[in-house]
Amino acid sequence: MKDPLLVATDGGAEAAHALQFAAAYATTDDIPVEVVSVVAPLSDLPMPLPHRDELEHAHAQGVADAVRRHVRDIVGPVAWPVHVSIGRPAPAICTTARKRSARL
């Protein structure tokens, strides 16, 4: 299997353009595409939360669902895997890219 093209998205307009590019690029070179989004940890909030881990997991699942809808709305029905990480965006995206051996 070829190394994937990893597209980071926050659901915004710039991400929509990146998804369109990824779809076109993947089609011309037959490259698999994977999508990543990052959720800020709830530990960044200035107050302690009960059940923080469960809340973070539920929030990440909601973000994953929203990203899947965003991808479907922008490029149509594709079977691209969606990875949602909890953390700071840049390091989390880089970590996912290394784990997935992303080519771009």
Side-chain angles (χ1 to χ4, degrees):
M1 178 176 213
K2 293 182 178 180
D3 294 335
L5 166 64
L6 190 69
V7 181
T9 180
D10 62 0
E14 291 83 8
H17 295 299
L19 290 168
Q20 291 168 336
F21 170 81
Y25 185 69
T27 301
T28 56
D29 285 349
D30 192 32
I31 296 170
V33 176
E34 298 185 21
V35 180
V36 65
S37 192
V38 181
V39 176
L42 292 177
S43 59
D44 284 355
L45 294 175
M47 63 195 160
L49 287 173
H51 310 290
R52 183 179 55 103
D53 292 341
E54 292 91 356
L55 290 170
E56 281 182 337
H57 179 72
H59 181 59
Q61 186 59 49
V63 168
D65 293 342
V67 167
R68 285 185 190 93
R69 284 191 302 276
H70 182 69
V71 169
R72 186 190 65 233
D73 291 347
I74 300 302
V75 298
V78 292
W80 296 349
V82 173
H83 308 279
V84 176
S85 300
I86 298 172
R88 308 284 182 283
I93 292 166
C94 290
T95 297
T96 302
R98 276 192 300 276
K99 285 181 182 175
R100 304 300 305 143
S101 299
R103 68 165 44 206
L104 181 62

